Amino acid sequence: MDVQIESSWKENLAEEFEKAYFFELVKFVKQEYSSKTIYPPARLIFNAFNRCPFDKVKAVIIGQDPYHGPGQAHGLCFSVMEGVAFPPSLVNIFKEIHDDINAPLPKNGNLERWADQGVLLLNATLTVKAHQAGSHQNKGWEQFTDAAINKLANHRDHLVFLLWGTYAQKKGTFVDRSRHLVLESAHPSPLSANNGFFGNKHFSKTNQYLEEYNIEPIVW
């Protein structure tokens, strides 16, 4: 199947695109976009991959679903376009960055600036029905994104995996801790941020690890 995705990812995930589950997933997603309001816009489904080629990845942040409100999702987990109000989890992420490395609070929530530096902002499920969280789970996206994480974990070295919350931690269980840095904490959601997300210092720890291996740190 000819999937419109960045060339290095297309090469690394080529076998996934030929599997039966992916053909079924594509059929489902096309039907959904043709008949319902689905986020993100179709051209941005693979935005996380397109902004961050396979060999440029330094860190991986795993989310669950795209935002399901109008104008929010654009294919990068936790990120919203300029002019869109910060969702609560993103507010807490920026607060932790400020407290951790004393970075100023940003004027917008568009995290393309991270993606362009090598942060793969990957949702486990890449599409969602408007106003229905989880509506595209268990359709095949999770198998696809597991394959992407697995490929990175097995074919790259010295990556940082930031796993916030139980869901992300389960998705990263197979990452070799001796080969990569795996940082785990509570999710930045207001429901759980006070249970260990605040104070996790994941952003300074990420950069410290990258610098140990002479990798350019992330400007958070």
Side-chain angles (χ1 to χ4, degrees):
M1 179 177 291
D2 185 23
V3 177
Q4 300 304 306
I5 192 171
E6 190 275 332
S7 59
S8 64
W9 282 107
K10 191 170 190 173
E11 179 181 346
N12 277 283
L13 296 173
E15 60 193 39
E16 298 303 309
F17 300 138
E18 300 305 321
K19 291 180 178 177
Y21 86 87
F22 195 83
F23 280 85
E24 290 301 312
L25 172 61
V26 168
K27 189 164 73 173
F28 166 76
V29 169
K30 283 183 175 178
Q31 176 62 31
E32 289 285 282
Y33 273 93
S34 70
S35 60
K36 298 164 187 159
T37 301
I38 306 297
Y39 300 124
R43 72 183 189 283
L44 297 176
I45 291 173
F46 294 116
N47 199 23
F49 299 99
N50 294 338
R51 304 278 321 195
C52 191
F54 184 85
D55 293 326
K56 303 293 186 185
V57 176
K58 301 175 185 177
V60 181
I61 298 177
I62 298 175
Q64 191 163 352
D65 259 356
Y67 295 124
H68 53 82
Q72 293 181 303
H74 65 124
L76 307 176
C77 71
F78 296 106
S79 178
V80 290
M81 297 292 282
E82 289 92 340
V84 177
F86 297 178
S89 290
L90 189 57
V91 170
N92 289 339
I93 289 169
F94 289 152
K95 182 180 186 301
E96 175 58 24
I97 291 171
H98 174 73
D99 292 347
D100 182 12
I101 60 174
N102 202 31
L105 296 173
K107 293 182 172 61
N108 69 72
N110 189 336
L111 302 182
E112 288 177 347
R113 58 186 180 272
W114 294 2
D116 293 343
Q117 295 179 77
V119 182
L120 182 67
L121 295 160
L122 185 64
N123 277 315
T125 302
L126 299 188
T127 56
V128 70
K129 195 184 303 181
H131 310 299
Q132 293 187 35
S135 48
H136 283 188
Q137 291 178 5
N138 303 314
K139 301 294 184 182
W141 279 131
E142 295 91 342
Q143 185 173 342
F144 176 73
T145 52
D146 276 351
I149 296 165
N150 208 358
K151 188 68 78 164
L152 282 169
N154 291 332
H155 294 271
R156 294 287 313 281
D157 290 303
H158 310 313
L159 301 180
V160 182
F161 290 83
L162 297 96
L163 308 179
W164 301 332
T166 305
Y167 186 91
Q169 288 158 21
K170 285 179 180 174
K171 203 153 175 75
T173 50
F174 54 78
V175 176
D176 184 347
R177 268 67 171 170
S178 67
R179 188 169 177 175
H180 305 284
L181 177 64
V182 178
L183 298 173
E184 298 182 339
S185 79
H187 193 276
S189 160
L191 298 174
S192 55
N194 286 313
N195 295 329
F197 180 79
F198 290 138
N200 66 20
K201 299 190 180 299
H202 281 187
F203 304 95
S204 59
K205 288 176 181 177
T206 294
N207 281 348
Q208 182 181 358
Y209 180 82
L210 293 175
E211 288 175 325
E212 284 175 11
Y213 290 97
N214 297 313
I215 301 167
E216 187 76 20
I218 308 296
V219 178
W220 298 107

PDB file of all heavy atoms in Angstrom, residues 126-157:
ATOM      1  N   LEU A 126      -4.239   7.495  16.108  1.00  0.00           N
ATOM      2  CA  LEU A 126      -3.928   8.701  15.322  1.00  0.00           C
ATOM      3  C   LEU A 126      -5.150   9.466  14.846  1.00  0.00           C
ATOM      4  O   LEU A 126      -5.001  10.553  14.275  1.00  0.00           O
ATOM      5  CB  LEU A 126      -3.041   8.332  14.121  1.00  0.00           C
ATOM      6  CG  LEU A 126      -1.681   7.712  14.465  1.00  0.00           C
ATOM      7  CD1 LEU A 126      -0.830   7.583  13.214  1.00  0.00           C
ATOM      8  CD2 LEU A 126      -0.941   8.507  15.529  1.00  0.00           C
ATOM      9  N   THR A 127      -6.343   8.935  15.057  1.00  0.00           N
ATOM     10  CA  THR A 127      -7.559   9.635  14.647  1.00  0.00           C
ATOM     11  C   THR A 127      -8.619   9.478  15.735  1.00  0.00           C
ATOM     12  O   THR A 127      -8.538   8.575  16.572  1.00  0.00           O
ATOM     13  CB  THR A 127      -8.112   9.084  13.310  1.00  0.00           C
ATOM     14  OG1 THR A 127      -8.321   7.662  13.441  1.00  0.00           O
ATOM     15  CG2 THR A 127      -7.165   9.348  12.154  1.00  0.00           C
ATOM     16  N   VAL A 128      -9.631  10.355  15.689  1.00  0.00           N
ATOM     17  CA  VAL A 128     -10.703  10.300  16.677  1.00  0.00           C
ATOM     18  C   VAL A 128     -11.947  10.988  16.111  1.00  0.00           C
ATOM     19  O   VAL A 128     -11.839  11.926  15.324  1.00  0.00           O
ATOM     20  CB  VAL A 128     -10.261  10.976  17.994  1.00  0.00           C
ATOM     21  CG1 VAL A 128     -10.131  12.503  17.835  1.00  0.00           C
ATOM     22  CG2 VAL A 128     -11.188  10.638  19.144  1.00  0.00           C
ATOM     23  N   LYS A 129     -13.107  10.508  16.512  1.00  0.00           N
ATOM     24  CA  LYS A 129     -14.368  11.135  16.121  1.00  0.00           C
ATOM     25  C   LYS A 129     -14.603  12.369  16.997  1.00  0.00           C
ATOM     26  O   LYS A 129     -14.286  12.367  18.187  1.00  0.00           O
ATOM     27  CB  LYS A 129     -15.520  10.140  16.303  1.00  0.00           C
ATOM     28  CG  LYS A 129     -16.818  10.534  15.612  1.00  0.00           C
ATOM     29  CD  LYS A 129     -17.926   9.542  15.918  1.00  0.00           C
ATOM     30  CE  LYS A 129     -17.554   8.123  15.521  1.00  0.00           C
ATOM     31  NZ  LYS A 129     -18.659   7.163  15.813  1.00  0.00           N
ATOM     32  N   ALA A 130     -15.145  13.422  16.402  1.00  0.00           N
ATOM     33  CA  ALA A 130     -15.394  14.665  17.135  1.00  0.00           C
ATOM     34  C   ALA A 130     -16.174  14.395  18.420  1.00  0.00           C
ATOM     35  O   ALA A 130     -17.190  13.680  18.404  1.00  0.00           O
ATOM     36  CB  ALA A 130     -16.168  15.646  16.257  1.00  0.00           C
ATOM     37  N   HIS A 131     -15.666  14.945  19.514  1.00  0.00           N
ATOM     38  CA  HIS A 131     -16.342  14.921  20.820  1.00  0.00           C
ATOM     39  C   HIS A 131     -16.515  13.510  21.395  1.00  0.00           C
ATOM     40  O   HIS A 131     -17.308  13.323  22.310  1.00  0.00           O
ATOM     41  CB  HIS A 131     -17.705  15.618  20.738  1.00  0.00           C
ATOM     42  CG  HIS A 131     -17.650  16.966  20.102  1.00  0.00           C
ATOM     43  ND1 HIS A 131     -16.905  18.013  20.625  1.00  0.00           N
ATOM     44  CD2 HIS A 131     -18.219  17.443  18.965  1.00  0.00           C
ATOM     45  CE1 HIS A 131     -17.036  19.077  19.835  1.00  0.00           C
ATOM     46  NE2 HIS A 131     -17.814  18.753  18.831  1.00  0.00           N
ATOM     47  N   GLN A 132     -15.763  12.529  20.862  1.00  0.00           N
ATOM     48  CA  GLN A 132     -15.894  11.159  21.372  1.00  0.00           C
ATOM     49  C   GLN A 132     -14.500  10.570  21.628  1.00  0.00           C
ATOM     50  O   GLN A 132     -13.931   9.900  20.770  1.00  0.00           O
ATOM     51  CB  GLN A 132     -16.676  10.275  20.401  1.00  0.00           C
ATOM     52  CG  GLN A 132     -18.138  10.667  20.275  1.00  0.00           C
ATOM     53  CD  GLN A 132     -18.933   9.673  19.441  1.00  0.00           C
ATOM     54  OE1 GLN A 132     -18.686   8.473  19.472  1.00  0.00           O
ATOM     55  NE2 GLN A 132     -19.887  10.174  18.678  1.00  0.00           N
ATOM     56  N   ALA A 133     -13.975  10.853  22.793  1.00  0.00           N
ATOM     57  CA  ALA A 133     -12.656  10.328  23.152  1.00  0.00           C
ATOM     58  C   ALA A 133     -12.640   8.806  23.040  1.00  0.00           C
ATOM     59  O   ALA A 133     -13.588   8.136  23.419  1.00  0.00           O
ATOM     60  CB  ALA A 133     -12.305  10.747  24.576  1.00  0.00           C
ATOM     61  N   GLY A 134     -11.568   8.286  22.487  1.00  0.00           N
ATOM     62  CA  GLY A 134     -11.416   6.836  22.390  1.00  0.00           C
ATOM     63  C   GLY A 134     -12.205   6.178  21.288  1.00  0.00           C
ATOM     64  O   GLY A 134     -12.202   4.943  21.164  1.00  0.00           O
ATOM     65  N   SER A 135     -12.867   6.957  20.447  1.00  0.00           N
ATOM     66  CA  SER A 135     -13.782   6.382  19.449  1.00  0.00           C
ATOM     67  C   SER A 135     -13.074   5.601  18.351  1.00  0.00           C
ATOM     68  O   SER A 135     -13.714   4.788  17.670  1.00  0.00           O
ATOM     69  CB  SER A 135     -14.652   7.481  18.826  1.00  0.00           C
ATOM     70  OG  SER A 135     -13.859   8.579  18.424  1.00  0.00           O
ATOM     71  N   HIS A 136     -11.771   5.818  18.148  1.00  0.00           N
ATOM     72  CA  HIS A 136     -11.037   5.066  17.135  1.00  0.00           C
ATOM     73  C   HIS A 136     -10.008   4.122  17.749  1.00  0.00           C
ATOM     74  O   HIS A 136      -9.091   3.662  17.069  1.00  0.00           O
ATOM     75  CB  HIS A 136     -10.367   6.011  16.132  1.00  0.00           C
ATOM     76  CG  HIS A 136     -11.329   6.576  15.137  1.00  0.00           C
ATOM     77  ND1 HIS A 136     -10.927   7.324  14.054  1.00  0.00           N
ATOM     78  CD2 HIS A 136     -12.685   6.490  15.050  1.00  0.00           C
ATOM     79  CE1 HIS A 136     -11.990   7.688  13.349  1.00  0.00           C
ATOM     80  NE2 HIS A 136     -13.062   7.201  13.940  1.00  0.00           N
ATOM     81  N   GLN A 137     -10.175   3.811  19.024  1.00  0.00           N
ATOM     82  CA  GLN A 137      -9.303   2.817  19.647  1.00  0.00           C
ATOM     83  C   GLN A 137      -9.693   1.414  19.191  1.00  0.00           C
ATOM     84  O   GLN A 137     -10.821   1.171  18.778  1.00  0.00           O
ATOM     85  CB  GLN A 137      -9.392   2.932  21.170  1.00  0.00           C
ATOM     86  CG  GLN A 137      -8.763   4.207  21.716  1.00  0.00           C
ATOM     87  CD  GLN A 137      -8.885   4.337  23.211  1.00  0.00           C
ATOM     88  OE1 GLN A 137      -9.355   3.435  23.894  1.00  0.00           O
ATOM     89  NE2 GLN A 137      -8.467   5.476  23.747  1.00  0.00           N
ATOM     90  N   ASN A 138      -8.705   0.525  19.229  1.00  0.00           N
ATOM     91  CA  ASN A 138      -8.914  -0.902  18.905  1.00  0.00           C
ATOM     92  C   ASN A 138      -9.364  -1.127  17.464  1.00  0.00           C
ATOM     93  O   ASN A 138     -10.088  -2.076  17.167  1.00  0.00           O
ATOM     94  CB  ASN A 138      -9.912  -1.528  19.883  1.00  0.00           C
ATOM     95  CG  ASN A 138      -9.462  -1.387  21.321  1.00  0.00           C
ATOM     96  OD1 ASN A 138      -8.303  -1.636  21.640  1.00  0.00           O
ATOM     97  ND2 ASN A 138     -10.364  -0.939  22.192  1.00  0.00           N
ATOM     98  N   LYS A 139      -8.898  -0.244  16.573  1.00  0.00           N
ATOM     99  CA  LYS A 139      -9.179  -0.402  15.142  1.00  0.00           C
ATOM    100  C   LYS A 139      -7.911  -0.744  14.356  1.00  0.00           C
ATOM    101  O   LYS A 139      -7.979  -0.972  13.159  1.00  0.00           O
ATOM    102  CB  LYS A 139      -9.809   0.877  14.569  1.00  0.00           C
ATOM    103  CG  LYS A 139     -11.112   1.302  15.239  1.00  0.00           C
ATOM    104  CD  LYS A 139     -12.214   0.293  14.985  1.00  0.00           C
ATOM    105  CE  LYS A 139     -13.538   0.769  15.562  1.00  0.00           C
ATOM    106  NZ  LYS A 139     -14.617  -0.230  15.375  1.00  0.00           N
ATOM    107  N   GLY A 140      -6.780  -0.739  15.046  1.00  0.00           N
ATOM    108  CA  GLY A 140      -5.514  -1.058  14.380  1.00  0.00           C
ATOM    109  C   GLY A 140      -4.416  -0.038  14.598  1.00  0.00           C
ATOM    110  O   GLY A 140      -3.234  -0.344  14.413  1.00  0.00           O
ATOM    111  N   TRP A 141      -4.792   1.172  15.008  1.00  0.00           N
ATOM    112  CA  TRP A 141      -3.760   2.194  15.199  1.00  0.00           C
ATOM    113  C   TRP A 141      -2.743   1.774  16.255  1.00  0.00           C
ATOM    114  O   TRP A 141      -1.541   2.043  16.120  1.00  0.00           O
ATOM    115  CB  TRP A 141      -4.394   3.520  15.607  1.00  0.00           C
ATOM    116  CG  TRP A 141      -4.965   4.357  14.513  1.00  0.00           C
ATOM    117  CD1 TRP A 141      -6.206   4.941  14.474  1.00  0.00           C
ATOM    118  CD2 TRP A 141      -4.314   4.762  13.293  1.00  0.00           C
ATOM    119  NE1 TRP A 141      -6.370   5.659  13.312  1.00  0.00           N
ATOM    120  CE2 TRP A 141      -5.219   5.565  12.577  1.00  0.00           C
ATOM    121  CE3 TRP A 141      -3.053   4.516  12.746  1.00  0.00           C
ATOM    122  CZ2 TRP A 141      -4.912   6.130  11.341  1.00  0.00           C
ATOM    123  CZ3 TRP A 141      -2.733   5.071  11.509  1.00  0.00           C
ATOM    124  CH2 TRP A 141      -3.656   5.863  10.820  1.00  0.00           C
ATOM    125  N   GLU A 142      -3.210   1.149  17.328  1.00  0.00           N
ATOM    126  CA  GLU A 142      -2.283   0.785  18.408  1.00  0.00           C
ATOM    127  C   GLU A 142      -1.219  -0.195  17.924  1.00  0.00           C
ATOM    128  O   GLU A 142      -0.051  -0.094  18.318  1.00  0.00           O
ATOM    129  CB  GLU A 142      -3.056   0.178  19.593  1.00  0.00           C
ATOM    130  CG  GLU A 142      -3.991   1.160  20.278  1.00  0.00           C
ATOM    131  CD  GLU A 142      -5.406   1.159  19.710  1.00  0.00           C
ATOM    132  OE1 GLU A 142      -5.606   0.660  18.578  1.00  0.00           O
ATOM    133  OE2 GLU A 142      -6.317   1.646  20.387  1.00  0.00           O
ATOM    134  N   GLN A 143      -1.613  -1.124  17.055  1.00  0.00           N
ATOM    135  CA  GLN A 143      -0.629  -2.066  16.505  1.00  0.00           C
ATOM    136  C   GLN A 143       0.394  -1.325  15.652  1.00  0.00           C
ATOM    137  O   GLN A 143       1.597  -1.621  15.692  1.00  0.00           O
ATOM    138  CB  GLN A 143      -1.342  -3.141  15.679  1.00  0.00           C
ATOM    139  CG  GLN A 143      -0.411  -4.237  15.168  1.00  0.00           C
ATOM    140  CD  GLN A 143      -1.156  -5.385  14.502  1.00  0.00           C
ATOM    141  OE1 GLN A 143      -2.361  -5.557  14.683  1.00  0.00           O
ATOM    142  NE2 GLN A 143      -0.439  -6.175  13.725  1.00  0.00           N
ATOM    143  N   PHE A 144      -0.087  -0.357  14.886  1.00  0.00           N
ATOM    144  CA  PHE A 144       0.799   0.421  14.025  1.00  0.00           C
ATOM    145  C   PHE A 144       1.783   1.256  14.848  1.00  0.00           C
ATOM    146  O   PHE A 144       2.991   1.260  14.584  1.00  0.00           O
ATOM    147  CB  PHE A 144      -0.035   1.322  13.109  1.00  0.00           C
ATOM    148  CG  PHE A 144       0.789   2.237  12.261  1.00  0.00           C
ATOM    149  CD1 PHE A 144       1.507   1.752  11.178  1.00  0.00           C
ATOM    150  CD2 PHE A 144       0.849   3.600  12.539  1.00  0.00           C
ATOM    151  CE1 PHE A 144       2.282   2.600  10.394  1.00  0.00           C
ATOM    152  CE2 PHE A 144       1.613   4.446  11.762  1.00  0.00           C
ATOM    153  CZ  PHE A 144       2.334   3.952  10.689  1.00  0.00           C
ATOM    154  N   THR A 145       1.281   1.944  15.861  1.00  0.00           N
ATOM    155  CA  THR A 145       2.183   2.788  16.652  1.00  0.00           C
ATOM    156  C   THR A 145       3.108   1.950  17.536  1.00  0.00           C
ATOM    157  O   THR A 145       4.246   2.349  17.799  1.00  0.00           O
ATOM    158  CB  THR A 145       1.395   3.824  17.473  1.00  0.00           C
ATOM    159  OG1 THR A 145       0.357   3.183  18.233  1.00  0.00           O
ATOM    160  CG2 THR A 145       0.759   4.862  16.555  1.00  0.00           C
ATOM    161  N   ASP A 146       2.655   0.772  17.973  1.00  0.00           N
ATOM    162  CA  ASP A 146       3.568  -0.158  18.659  1.00  0.00           C
ATOM    163  C   ASP A 146       4.731  -0.532  17.745  1.00  0.00           C
ATOM    164  O   ASP A 146       5.884  -0.614  18.191  1.00  0.00           O
ATOM    165  CB  ASP A 146       2.833  -1.432  19.067  1.00  0.00           C
ATOM    166  CG  ASP A 146       2.090  -1.301  20.386  1.00  0.00           C
ATOM    167  OD1 ASP A 146       2.273  -0.284  21.087  1.00  0.00           O
ATOM    168  OD2 ASP A 146       1.313  -2.225  20.721  1.00  0.00           O
ATOM    169  N   ALA A 147       4.423  -0.769  16.477  1.00  0.00           N
ATOM    170  CA  ALA A 147       5.470  -1.146  15.513  1.00  0.00           C
ATOM    171  C   ALA A 147       6.483  -0.012  15.353  1.00  0.00           C
ATOM    172  O   ALA A 147       7.693  -0.255  15.260  1.00  0.00           O
ATOM    173  CB  ALA A 147       4.837  -1.490  14.164  1.00  0.00           C
ATOM    174  N   ALA A 148       5.994   1.223  15.336  1.00  0.00           N
ATOM    175  CA  ALA A 148       6.893   2.373  15.200  1.00  0.00           C
ATOM    176  C   ALA A 148       7.807   2.493  16.418  1.00  0.00           C
ATOM    177  O   ALA A 148       9.023   2.701  16.285  1.00  0.00           O
ATOM    178  CB  ALA A 148       6.076   3.651  15.020  1.00  0.00           C
ATOM    179  N   ILE A 149       7.247   2.350  17.615  1.00  0.00           N
ATOM    180  CA  ILE A 149       8.033   2.425  18.845  1.00  0.00           C
ATOM    181  C   ILE A 149       9.052   1.283  18.892  1.00  0.00           C
ATOM    182  O   ILE A 149      10.228   1.471  19.245  1.00  0.00           O
ATOM    183  CB  ILE A 149       7.105   2.383  20.079  1.00  0.00           C
ATOM    184  CG1 ILE A 149       6.206   3.615  20.104  1.00  0.00           C
ATOM    185  CG2 ILE A 149       7.923   2.296  21.371  1.00  0.00           C
ATOM    186  CD1 ILE A 149       5.028   3.490  21.057  1.00  0.00           C
ATOM    187  N   ASN A 150       8.596   0.098  18.516  1.00  0.00           N
ATOM    188  CA  ASN A 150       9.465  -1.087  18.511  1.00  0.00           C
ATOM    189  C   ASN A 150      10.632  -0.896  17.553  1.00  0.00           C
ATOM    190  O   ASN A 150      11.788  -1.233  17.880  1.00  0.00           O
ATOM    191  CB  ASN A 150       8.631  -2.301  18.103  1.00  0.00           C
ATOM    192  CG  ASN A 150       9.167  -3.591  18.686  1.00  0.00           C
ATOM    193  OD1 ASN A 150      10.188  -3.595  19.366  1.00  0.00           O
ATOM    194  ND2 ASN A 150       8.493  -4.686  18.405  1.00  0.00           N
ATOM    195  N   LYS A 151      10.335  -0.364  16.387  1.00  0.00           N
ATOM    196  CA  LYS A 151      11.386  -0.145  15.386  1.00  0.00           C
ATOM    197  C   LYS A 151      12.433   0.835  15.920  1.00  0.00           C
ATOM    198  O   LYS A 151      13.643   0.607  15.772  1.00  0.00           O
ATOM    199  CB  LYS A 151      10.761   0.364  14.089  1.00  0.00           C
ATOM    200  CG  LYS A 151      11.716   0.440  12.914  1.00  0.00           C
ATOM    201  CD  LYS A 151      12.182  -0.917  12.421  1.00  0.00           C
ATOM    202  CE  LYS A 151      11.140  -1.614  11.574  1.00  0.00           C
ATOM    203  NZ  LYS A 151      11.759  -2.748  10.801  1.00  0.00           N
ATOM    204  N   LEU A 152      11.990   1.904  16.542  1.00  0.00           N
ATOM    205  CA  LEU A 152      12.932   2.861  17.132  1.00  0.00           C
ATOM    206  C   LEU A 152      13.757   2.208  18.232  1.00  0.00           C
ATOM    207  O   LEU A 152      14.982   2.356  18.283  1.00  0.00           O
ATOM    208  CB  LEU A 152      12.167   4.051  17.722  1.00  0.00           C
ATOM    209  CG  LEU A 152      11.666   5.115  16.762  1.00  0.00           C
ATOM    210  CD1 LEU A 152      10.720   6.063  17.483  1.00  0.00           C
ATOM    211  CD2 LEU A 152      12.817   5.893  16.131  1.00  0.00           C
ATOM    212  N   ALA A 153      13.071   1.497  19.125  1.00  0.00           N
ATOM    213  CA  ALA A 153      13.752   0.898  20.279  1.00  0.00           C
ATOM    214  C   ALA A 153      14.807  -0.110  19.853  1.00  0.00           C
ATOM    215  O   ALA A 153      15.852  -0.248  20.513  1.00  0.00           O
ATOM    216  CB  ALA A 153      12.732   0.241  21.198  1.00  0.00           C
ATOM    217  N   ASN A 154      14.570  -0.816  18.739  1.00  0.00           N
ATOM    218  CA  ASN A 154      15.463  -1.888  18.301  1.00  0.00           C
ATOM    219  C   ASN A 154      16.516  -1.455  17.297  1.00  0.00           C
ATOM    220  O   ASN A 154      17.516  -2.166  17.109  1.00  0.00           O
ATOM    221  CB  ASN A 154      14.644  -3.038  17.718  1.00  0.00           C
ATOM    222  CG  ASN A 154      13.833  -3.760  18.773  1.00  0.00           C
ATOM    223  OD1 ASN A 154      14.210  -3.794  19.941  1.00  0.00           O
ATOM    224  ND2 ASN A 154      12.704  -4.321  18.373  1.00  0.00           N
ATOM    225  N   HIS A 155      16.298  -0.314  16.644  1.00  0.00           N
ATOM    226  CA  HIS A 155      17.216   0.091  15.572  1.00  0.00           C
ATOM    227  C   HIS A 155      17.906   1.428  15.815  1.00  0.00           C
ATOM    228  O   HIS A 155      18.711   1.860  14.998  1.00  0.00           O
ATOM    229  CB  HIS A 155      16.471   0.115  14.235  1.00  0.00           C
ATOM    230  CG  HIS A 155      16.022  -1.227  13.776  1.00  0.00           C
ATOM    231  ND1 HIS A 155      16.806  -2.057  12.996  1.00  0.00           N
ATOM    232  CD2 HIS A 155      14.881  -1.921  14.008  1.00  0.00           C
ATOM    233  CE1 HIS A 155      16.156  -3.186  12.759  1.00  0.00           C
ATOM    234  NE2 HIS A 155      14.991  -3.131  13.369  1.00  0.00           N
ATOM    235  N   ARG A 156      17.588   2.066  16.919  1.00  0.00           N
ATOM    236  CA  ARG A 156      18.275   3.297  17.309  1.00  0.00           C
ATOM    237  C   ARG A 156      18.870   3.094  18.706  1.00  0.00           C
ATOM    238  O   ARG A 156      18.494   2.184  19.423  1.00  0.00           O
ATOM    239  CB  ARG A 156      17.285   4.475  17.332  1.00  0.00           C
ATOM    240  CG  ARG A 156      16.701   4.864  15.965  1.00  0.00           C
ATOM    241  CD  ARG A 156      17.729   5.579  15.081  1.00  0.00           C
ATOM    242  NE  ARG A 156      18.424   6.609  15.826  1.00  0.00           N
ATOM    243  CZ  ARG A 156      17.914   7.831  16.089  1.00  0.00           C
ATOM    244  NH1 ARG A 156      16.722   8.167  15.652  1.00  0.00           N
ATOM    245  NH2 ARG A 156      18.626   8.712  16.784  1.00  0.00           N
ATOM    246  N   ASP A 157      19.801   3.951  19.079  1.00  0.00           N
ATOM    247  CA  ASP A 157      20.399   3.890  20.413  1.00  0.00           C
ATOM    248  C   ASP A 157      20.272   5.239  21.103  1.00  0.00           C
ATOM    249  O   ASP A 157      20.187   6.291  20.450  1.00  0.00           O
ATOM    250  CB  ASP A 157      21.889   3.519  20.313  1.00  0.00           C
ATOM    251  CG  ASP A 157      22.086   2.070  19.874  1.00  0.00           C
ATOM    252  OD1 ASP A 157      21.563   1.176  20.565  1.00  0.00           O
ATOM    253  OD2 ASP A 157      22.735   1.853  18.840  1.00  0.00           O
TER     254      ASP A 157
END
